[in-house]
Amino acid sequence: METAPAIVPQPREMTLAAGQFNARSARWQLSPQAGSHRAIAHKLATLRLRPDSQGRPGWALTAGDAPAIAAPEKPQGYALTITPTGLALAGADADGLFWGLVTLEQLLEQATDDARSLPALEIRDWPEVLLRGHHDDVSRKQISKLEDFKRIVRLLSRYKLNVYTPYMEDVLHLESFPDIGEGRGKLMPDEVAELHAEAALHNVQIMPTFSLAGHQENLLTLPRYRHLAAKTFQPPSSLDSANPAVREYLAQAIDDVCRMFAGKYFHMAFDEVIGLDEERFFTHANWCAEQLVAHGKTPVMWVDMVYNHYGYDKIHRLHPAIIAVNWQYGGRTNEGRVKHHDELVAQGRPVWGLAGYSNWCAFLPKSRSTYAHFAQWMAQLERTPTASLMCSMWGDNGYENHRDLTWNLYASFGEHTWSGPAAAMDSFEARFQTTFYGLELPELTEHVYALPERLSLAPNQYWKLHRLGAVGMLRFVHSQPELGAKLADDRRQLQAALEALDGLRAKVKKEKRHLDHVESALRRTLSVVNRLALAYRQLEGLTGPALKAAAREILRELQQTRRVYAASWLATNRPENLEVSLAVFDEVAESYRTLGRKVPAVGPKGRYTPLALPYNANHVEIGSLPVGPALVNGVPFQFAPLQGQTHLALQGPGQSLRLQLAGEPVNDLHLIVSLQSPADKQPLPAVRAELRRDGRCVWTEDLLAIRHLCDWWAIRGEHIWAGGGFAYVDPMRVRYGLKTNTYYAVTHLANFPWVGRIRADELVLTMLSDREMQLFALTVES
C-alpha cells in the first residue's frame, strides 16, 4: 500500500506492508475476559464483528491465520498486526484493546470494497497521557440536546479522549433545590444517567465540574439564595463560606451531584473566588474536599487562586486528597507555563494540566496557533509528566462561537495527548477530515482552517465588531484608515469559502450538519466585512437615498445570517438562551434602520444646552459612542465628532475643567461619564463639581467614586468582573447611559441636589483623587 491510512491519533509506531486482508469473510476469535467487557462488546457489535469462538488469553481479538503478537507494556497500549492471511489485536489491558478497536474502526471505514479489505501493517501504540479530557462549558447559555451530548461522547472516544467534563454552575437539576436552573435548559437526572450509559459504551468517563465556591452569579441572583453570597464590591458571585447556611446548602448539593455522577473524580473548580481571604479560602476548599472524600470521590480543583494570591508554597495547605490543576491557555508564553507547572510539581502534589482551545469570543478560531499551544504543553509534560491533561472551552457572552464548530481542535488535542512526540501535524488535517467527514477535504483546509491567519483582523476582533451598530462601525473605521483597502480581499476570501462550502456539502459522507456551523461563522464574519465597507463609504461621502439603499442591503444580510445562526444553534442545542445571541443581531439591525435619521428636538426650545468639550483622549473601546448630536434617555447630548479625539480625560488631584455657561438659571446637569474605581473600592470623594457666578462659588458637591461615578467596564456583561460598580450607584441619580463597546458602557449622571434653580456663568469640575475620569458629553438643563 503506497499511502498510509488516515488514523487519528497518529499511531506511535506504524509500518506498512504489501497486501490486504479480507475482513468480511474472516472468522473472528475473542479472548474470554474481553467478551464480558461492556465497551468492547459494544464496539464489536458496532463494527459488525462477531467472534464465534474463544481466542487467546488476555485482551485479544484475532481473525484468520493470526500472527502471535504482544501488546506494549504500557497502560492503554495495544498492538495491531494485519497480514494478507490474518489479523491480531492485543491490548495491554481492557482500555488498550478498546482503543485498538477504535483504530480498527477507522481502518474499516476506509475500506472501499465489499470485502472490507484492510491494509497489511503493524502498529504499536500507547498514550502519552492517561487521562485525556474535554472540558465543556455548558453553563453560559449553549446547552446540547441529549442526543448531541451522546454524540459528543462518541466523537471524543473516536479520537481517544477518555474524559468528558461538563462545566456546570446552575444548569444541573438538583433534587434538593429544584428551582435552580429553571428556564435555563438545565440537565435533568435522567439525562445524566443516559449520558453515563452512553459514555460507558465508549470507554469515556464523565467527570462533573461543579463549582463549589465562585461563579455563582446566576444562583445568587435568585432571591431564595441571595443570603448565601459573600459580600463584595462586585455583584454576588461567590459563596460566603463563613455563613453556616452555605455549608448546609453545599452538603445537600454535593450529595445530589454525587448521586448523579458515578465516576471517581469531582472537579470543584474554585477559580475566581471573590470575598474570601486566605484563611477562609483554604478552610472552605478543605471542607468541600472532605465532603467529596466522604462520598468516595477524588476532589480536583484549579489552583491559580492559590499561586496568584498566596504563593506556590501555600499549596501544602490544601487537603491531601485534592488534585491541583494548572490551567494555562493559548496565547500565554511558554515560559510562563513552564514556571507555573514546575513550581507546582515541586510542591510534591499530583498536578494536572489544562490547555485551552482559545475558540471563545471568535467566529473562526486560529487553528494553527492552537495546535502550537498543544505542542508546547506536550513539550512541558515531557519534562514533568502528568496523569492528566485536559483542554477547556468557554462560552463568554452567550456562547456565540458555536461549541460544535471546532472538532478539528478537539481531535488535535486527542492527537497530541495520545501520540505525544509522534503527533504528525503536517498530515493531521487530512487525517482528521477523513475520519470525521469520511474523506479528505483540502478545500476546507485552504478556505476555512487557514483563513483566520489571512484575514485583515483577528478572529476576536471580528467577533467584537459583530456587536457594533452603524455608528460604532463609523467610529471604528475612522480610526483605521489603512483597513479599508484590505476589505475587498477579505470579502473575496470569505465568499470563496462559502462557495467552497456549498460544493463540499454534496461530498461529505458523515457529519454533514457540522458544515452548517462553519457556514454560520463565515457568514457572520462576512457581514462584519460588509458593514465595515459601508462605513468607509460613509466617510467618503455616501448619504441620502444611496445610504438608505445600502443600509437596506445590510439589513437583508443580517436577517439571512441571523436565520443561519439560529438554525445551526437549534440543530444541536436546546432552544433556551438562544434569544441572548439573537438580541445582538436585532440591536445591530435597529441601528441600520435608523441610519441617517436626524435627532429630533426634545422638550421646549432652549431647555437643554449640550456643551462642547475640549476632547483630549482616545480609547479603542468606545467604538459605539455616538457621533455628534444624539439622545440618551431623552436628553440631547453633543458627542465628539469623528475627527480629532473622542472624550475628555482628567486624571490626578487638582486637574480641572472649566466650562462657560450662559448665565441662565440652571435646573440640572447631565453627564455621560465614567471613572476608574479606586483600588480599595470605597465610595470616596473623586470629583468636585462647582457652579460659579462672577467668580464666586454658588453651589458645590463632591461626587463620590462608585456611588456617583463608576467604571465603564463595570456596567455590561455577565462575568463576575462586569456589573460591579453599577450595582452600588445612587439609583436616584445614576442611570444606564449607553454601550461604548462589547464589554463597556457609561452612565448618565443627573438629578443634582440643589433646591430651585441656580444662576451660574461657569461650571468647574476638579479631580480630588488619583483616578481618571472620562467625560463623554455634558448637557445643561435650564
Side-chain angles (χ1 to χ4, degrees), residues 34 71 86 161 204 209 243 251 336 343 363 375 414 423 448 504 626 664 721 730:
L161 292 165
V204 174
T209 299
N243 182 350
E343 291 279 5
F363 297 148
V448 178
L504 294 178
E664 298 293 325
W721 305 110
D730 179 351

Side-chain angles (χ1 to χ4, degrees), residues 211-259:
S211 186
L212 300 182
H215 281 300
Q216 301 292 333
E217 298 90 346
N218 292 315
L219 171 71
L220 297 176
T221 58
L222 302 176
R224 178 183 172 188
Y225 303 96
R226 179 64 180 82
H227 69 287
L228 302 177
K231 187 176 181 181
T232 63
F233 169 68
Q234 284 82 12
S237 67
S238 298
L239 299 173
D240 181 5
S241 63
N243 182 350
V246 167
R247 288 193 173 183
E248 181 181 347
Y249 160 73
L250 284 179
Q252 292 177 279
I254 289 171
D255 185 62
D256 288 349
V257 177
C258 288
R259 278 189 282 107

Side-chain angles (χ1 to χ4, degrees), residues 213-510:
H215 281 300
Q216 301 292 333
E217 298 90 346
N218 292 315
L219 171 71
L220 297 176
T221 58
L222 302 176
R224 178 183 172 188
Y225 303 96
R226 179 64 180 82
H227 69 287
L228 302 177
K231 187 176 181 181
T232 63
F233 169 68
Q234 284 82 12
S237 67
S238 298
L239 299 173
D240 181 5
S241 63
N243 182 350
V246 167
R247 288 193 173 183
E248 181 181 347
Y249 160 73
L250 284 179
Q252 292 177 279
I254 289 171
D255 185 62
D256 288 349
V257 177
C258 288
R259 278 189 282 107
M260 279 187 279
F261 290 87
K264 175 182 178 181
Y265 299 103
F266 187 120
H267 197 317
M268 57 186 193
F270 268 78
D271 65 318
E272 296 183 342
V273 179
I274 295 180
L276 304 186
D277 57 24
E278 179 179 340
E279 196 62 35
R280 291 166 63 199
F281 178 91
F282 283 104
T283 299
H284 185 53
N286 292 339
W287 179 86
C288 290
E290 289 170 0
Q291 306 309 302
L292 294 173
V293 170
H295 282 80
K297 305 294 184 183
T298 298
V300 178
M301 68 177 283
W302 290 305
V303 291
D304 56 299
M305 291 290 295
V306 178
Y307 61 70
N308 282 335
H309 297 280
Y310 315 128
Y312 296 103
D313 60 329
K314 296 298 179 69
I315 295 290
H316 77 274
R317 296 197 60 186
L318 290 173
H319 190 288
I322 291 175
I323 294 176
V325 181
N326 170 33
W327 65 263
Q328 301 295 329
Y329 298 152
R332 298 176 183 269
T333 64
N334 193 40
E335 290 77 11
R337 180 180 307 107
V338 169
K339 178 181 186 297
H340 288 312
H341 209 73
D342 287 355
E343 291 279 5
L344 289 170
V345 170
Q347 305 305 314
R349 176 187 296 268
V351 179
W352 291 359
L354 183 73
Y357 297 111
S358 297
N359 63 333
W360 44 91
C361 300
F363 297 148
L364 290 166
K366 290 185 175 180
S367 298
R368 303 296 194 275
S369 60
T370 304
Y371 300 159
H373 166 63
F374 295 159
Q376 288 177 345
W377 254 113
M378 298 313 299
Q380 166 67 37
L381 297 185
E382 281 190 77
R383 297 173 51 250
T384 51
T386 181
S388 174
L389 181 65
M390 302 197 183
C391 197
S392 181
M393 61 190 309
W394 294 105
D396 297 347
N397 293 87
Y399 230 135
E400 294 173 351
N401 49 310
H402 284 309
R403 282 170 53 239
D404 197 61
L405 173 66
T406 44
W407 270 104
N408 65 313
L409 299 186
Y410 313 150
S412 168
F413 182 70
E415 170 102 358
H416 281 88
T417 52
W418 178 280
S419 301
M425 295 312 296
D426 56 341
S427 65
F428 166 75
E429 284 168 358
R431 289 183 288 113
F432 163 72
Q433 291 159 14
T434 301
T435 60
F436 188 78
Y437 295 110
L439 75 166
E440 183 181 352
L441 301 174
E443 305 98 318
L444 194 67
T445 301
E446 170 64 18
H447 291 290
V448 178
Y449 292 168
L451 185 59
E453 284 80 3
R454 295 200 305 258
L455 294 177
S456 303
L457 295 173
N460 65 327
Q461 185 68 67
Y462 272 116
W463 176 84
K464 282 187 177 183
L465 292 172
H466 163 68
R467 307 166 75 84
L468 284 188
V471 173
M473 283 295 192
L474 199 60
R475 275 209 180 276
F476 178 81
V477 301
H478 184 268
S479 67
Q480 305 284 331
E482 73 288 349
L483 178 62
K486 304 174 184 177
L487 291 177
D489 190 54
D490 282 5
R491 182 187 296 109
R492 178 190 60 77
Q493 293 188 76
L494 287 161
Q495 289 174 337
L498 285 167
E499 291 172 5
L501 203 64
D502 285 341
L504 294 178
R505 292 184 190 279
K507 292 183 179 180
V508 297
K509 302 175 182 178
K510 301 186 299 182

Side-chain angles (χ1 to χ4, degrees), residues 755-781:
V755 178
R757 295 178 295 173
I758 297 177
R759 287 188 176 274
D761 55 27
E762 187 179 36
L763 168 65
V764 181
L765 299 175
T766 304
M767 297 298 298
L768 301 177
S769 76
D770 62 352
R771 302 289 91 183
E772 179 179 286
M773 178 179 72
Q774 300 96 17
L775 185 60
F776 298 92
L778 192 154
T779 290
V780 176
E781 181 181 350

Side-chain angles (χ1 to χ4, degrees), residues 142-209:
Q142 199 174 137
I143 306 173
S144 285
K145 300 173 184 177
L146 177 58
E147 285 308 310
D148 190 61
F149 273 123
K150 293 180 179 180
R151 168 177 163 269
I152 289 170
V153 165
R154 292 193 294 270
L155 286 172
L156 293 179
S157 177
R158 167 173 290 266
Y159 299 116
K160 298 187 173 74
L161 292 165
N162 60 355
V163 179
Y164 178 55
T165 172
Y167 170 80
M168 297 166 290
E169 293 171 4
D170 69 319
V171 295
L172 178 66
H173 180 85
L174 302 178
E175 183 179 339
S176 303
F177 308 99
D179 54 331
I180 295 177
E182 281 301 301
R184 294 256 291 139
K186 63 181 177 180
L187 272 165
M188 301 302 291
D190 60 332
E191 293 179 310
V192 174
E194 287 196 46
L195 186 58
H196 268 290
E198 188 73 17
L201 296 177
H202 297 278
N203 211 36
V204 174
Q205 56 179 300
I206 308 293
M207 178 178 72
T209 299

